[in-house]
Amino acid sequence: MISLKTADLPTNLQLPPEVVERGVLVVDDSDLQRASATHCLRDMGLSSIYEAGDGQDALTILYSVPQQPAVMLLDLELPGMDGIEVLQHLQGVSERPEIVLLSGSDAVLISAVATMAEAMGISLLGAYRKPITPGLLARTLSRYGKSRRSKEGSRVQAYSPFPDPEPENLRRAITQGEIIPHYQPKLNLQPAGSSQLPQLAGWEALARWTNTEGTSYTPGQFIPLAEQEELIGPLTLKLLDQVLVDLTSWQQQGVTTSVAINLSAVSLTDPALAGEIIQRVTAAGIAPRQLSFEITETALVMDLPSALATISRLRLKGFGFSIDDYGTGFSSMQQLSRFPFTELKIDRSFVQDAPKQQHVRQILQSAVEMGRRMGITSVAEGVETPEELELLKTMGCRQIQGYLIALPMPAAGVIPWIQQELQTKLQLCHQPHQPQVSQSNPDSGFPA
Ligand code: C2E
Ligand code: CA
Ligand code: CA
């Protein structure tokens, strides 16, 4: 329910023109709550407001009105077709409104449905426990269009001020080596009470593209395009070549380290990829244990046998494999245990929400424990604040990565960073005064 009082509407409220023009569909079975929402939307200056009392009516309206509403306020608890079923129907529709989920259920259920909707590729403006205030609704509607502008299917949400690249330019950029890796460090936390000090654990290579005119594109703009245009194989190999050059150069300067490369789901199904990688790494004289590959959970369900073949061949040679963005897909422990992973990278959404939300803290803790049970390293991504770091230390997370430690940097910045910044960052990770927590397995060094 939206409270009838509209006093808390922002005075400088400016809704996106699409929302004003195309309007909002309010789906709620309670007449009172629908009326309340409608009243509030009118106060915001909207005139196209549609109402539906159940899911079936909502779909009928969507398919019959001349111009689709921009936004749907969707109550999850509806008679007949419920809110989740409505979302499932929308998944198959190309033109669909952006969604604001509302529910009387608990926060855990609401955020589960929100995760599901996002995994289905549905643009979600917000998911809230009822009632929401007019001010919150206004702020939510003002976000319209933002998630669509960032690329669907990609985890990269960074907004680029430049228009998307053309396939031809991308092809040329790959051939000419315009796309290069930048490197972001990962640090090893040591368990409380351990006598070892935190250490540099390795680096993740992240693709960066600035063309000769100075235009920069985000991975969100060019990785999905490379996948569509069958250019992801050549791009990955070009980046690998550069990583091998950089590893060799650092080694010559006395720094032997390791790098993780992101592999797209499409690449996993390429039967030639594993062979190409092995051949290049051998030729460069780099040890396979200095390289690992990160693949998202969702990549695994696409083509199981060929993904297993690529991963197993590379693992047999000694390369590491990480599950990336862990927690954003739907894999069970049993599914994951079929793949020979060496590392679990916990998605940054959990890391960043954990200090504020207790149920997210529990998910984070169980992800760390799952890594421990599988005997693999847990890495927390997107660590931005000391508060997040402290929480991860107490949870026994093995490694961290994020802006708190460093932004991704060009290859030439790596050795200066190690010389000038690393020590300070390791100090942050040190936990000298933590009391010894009782341990179920003294060998693991982890708190019980
Ligand atoms: P990812 O693999 O999950 O990489 C982490 C992303 O989070 C990177 O964004 C990184 O810059 C960003 N990041 C790191 N620390 C923080 C933090 O503390 N806070 C926040 N908010 N963000 C942080 P980036 O470089 O834009 O890359 C985004 C995604 O693009 C990557 O997500 C990966 O899925 C994809 N990508 C990047 N390079 C490659 C590549 O060479 N190959 C493939 N297949 N995908 C790539
Ligand atoms: Ca990654
Ligand atoms: Ca990730």
Side-chain angles (χ1 to χ4, degrees):
M1 176 173 50
I2 293 157
S3 123
L4 266 169
K5 168 175 80 62
T6 48
D8 80 332
L9 275 180
T11 44
N12 58 348
L13 173 67
Q14 264 205 324
L15 292 180
E18 293 104 317
V19 175
V20 178
E21 195 188 310
R22 289 169 39 202
V24 173
L25 167 59
V26 181
V27 191
D28 202 309
D29 58 323
S30 148
D31 294 342
L32 182 69
Q33 298 191 8
R34 269 202 327 275
S36 166
T38 308
H39 172 86
C40 175
L41 290 166
R42 286 230 164 78
D43 278 0
M44 292 180 201
L46 295 190
S47 52
S48 304
I49 303 167
Y50 307 89
E51 295 181 43
D54 66 40
Q56 193 54 59
D57 278 358
L59 294 180
T60 309
I61 291 175
L62 275 189
Y63 297 135
S64 60
V65 290
Q67 193 181 30
Q68 264 216 359
V71 176
M72 185 193 289
L73 299 191
L74 179 61
D75 181 19
L76 284 182
E77 295 89 359
L78 293 169
M81 183 188 288
D82 63 36
I84 296 180
E85 285 176 280
V86 172
L87 291 173
Q88 286 168 326
H89 273 271
L90 289 178
Q91 190 188 11
V93 179
S94 55
E95 275 283 304
R96 56 189 172 227
E98 300 201 355
I99 305 291
V100 182
L101 289 181
L102 298 169
S103 165
S105 302
D106 59 274
V108 176
L109 179 62
I110 298 173
S111 80
V113 178
T115 307
M116 179 203 84
E118 283 183 330
M120 289 166 143
I122 286 172
S123 300
L124 205 60
L125 287 171
Y128 307 108
R129 186 137 189 234
K130 292 179 183 180
I132 70 164
T133 62
L136 179 58
L137 179 61
R139 286 194 298 282
T140 305
L141 292 179
S142 69
R143 289 202 295 267
Y144 178 84
K146 297 221 167 89
S147 66
R148 232 174 341 112
R149 280 193 287 271
S150 55
K151 289 285 155 206
E152 279 188 9
S154 162
R155 299 279 310 146
V156 202
Q157 306 298 318
Y159 176 70
S160 165
F162 297 110
D164 289 353
E166 294 299 323
E168 250 339 284
N169 295 342
L170 177 61
R171 196 181 306 274
R172 208 180 42 239
I174 295 170
T175 320
Q176 296 179 349
E178 261 176 28
I179 305 181
I180 54 163
H182 276 205
Y183 297 94
Q184 189 181 34
K186 288 187 296 180
L187 299 188
N188 234 321
L189 300 176
Q190 294 301 340
S194 155
S195 57
Q196 288 168 298
L197 292 172
Q199 295 154 343
L200 176 65
W203 302 79
E204 176 175 2
L206 293 156
R208 294 292 178 264
W209 177 16
T210 303
N211 71 13
T212 44
E213 280 113 52
T215 305
S216 297
Y217 300 104
T218 66
Q221 289 178 295
F222 63 83
I223 298 288
L225 182 66
E227 288 171 352
Q228 266 164 38
E229 299 291 322
E230 298 188 9
L231 292 170
I232 192 70
L235 172 58
T236 307
L237 292 174
K238 198 82 180 184
L239 286 167
L240 170 68
D241 287 341
Q242 192 54 51
V243 167
L244 293 170
V245 168
D246 294 336
L247 277 169
T248 308
S249 150
W250 298 330
Q251 220 147 287
Q252 285 161 352
Q253 297 172 70
V255 174
T256 299
T257 186
S258 62
V259 171
I261 293 177
N262 289 284
L263 274 192
S264 141
V266 185
S267 304
L268 274 187
T269 59
D270 173 359
L273 182 81
E276 288 274 3
I277 292 175
I278 294 165
Q279 187 248 318
R280 282 160 200 247
V281 175
T282 313
I286 293 291
R289 72 186 137 71
Q290 286 177 266
L291 276 173
S292 62
F293 299 96
E294 301 191 357
I295 49 177
T296 58
E297 258 185 291
T298 24
L300 302 180
V301 288
M302 282 188 46
D303 184 347
L304 201 65
S306 53
L308 265 174
T310 305
I311 297 174
S312 307
R313 274 193 72 197
L314 290 169
R315 278 286 287 122
L316 276 175
K317 290 282 174 198
F319 296 95
F321 257 93
S322 309
I323 310 166
D324 206 352
D325 304 340
Y326 177 69
T328 58
F330 294 100
S331 31
S332 63
M333 186 157 174
Q334 190 206 6
Q335 280 167 317
L336 290 180
S337 63
R338 284 196 293 199
F339 291 90
F341 287 112
T342 49
E343 189 178 88
L344 185 73
K345 297 193 78 173
I346 305 165
D347 192 65
R348 72 163 183 262
S349 54
F350 298 100
V351 174
Q352 295 176 349
D353 291 343
K356 292 164 279 184
Q357 293 181 39
Q358 209 223 334
H359 80 273
V360 179
R361 229 164 17 248
Q362 281 162 355
I363 298 172
L364 183 61
Q365 178 75 71
S366 71
V368 169
E369 262 153 31
M370 162 139 153
R372 181 161 53 104
R373 277 203 299 273
M374 289 170 76
I376 63 181
T377 310
S378 50
V379 186
E381 299 187 303
V383 181
E384 290 183 358
T385 67
E387 196 187 4
E388 290 158 10
L389 172 62
E390 287 311 311
L391 188 62
L392 290 159
K393 283 183 193 169
T394 60
M395 287 180 171
C397 184
R398 290 301 301 268
Q399 293 182 359
I400 58 157
Q401 181 182 358
Y403 296 165
L404 180 67
I405 306 305
L407 291 160
M409 60 190 87
V414 163
I415 293 202
W417 184 85
I418 293 176
Q419 290 165 342
Q420 292 154 28
E421 306 279 336
L422 177 62
Q423 280 312 318
T424 323
K425 301 300 178 180
L426 291 176
Q427 290 295 327
L428 272 182
C429 300
H430 194 39
Q431 38 186 346
H433 306 301
Q434 292 261 346
Q436 183 94 32
V437 186
S438 69
Q439 291 175 2
S440 56
N441 171 5
D443 291 332
S444 76
F446 281 95

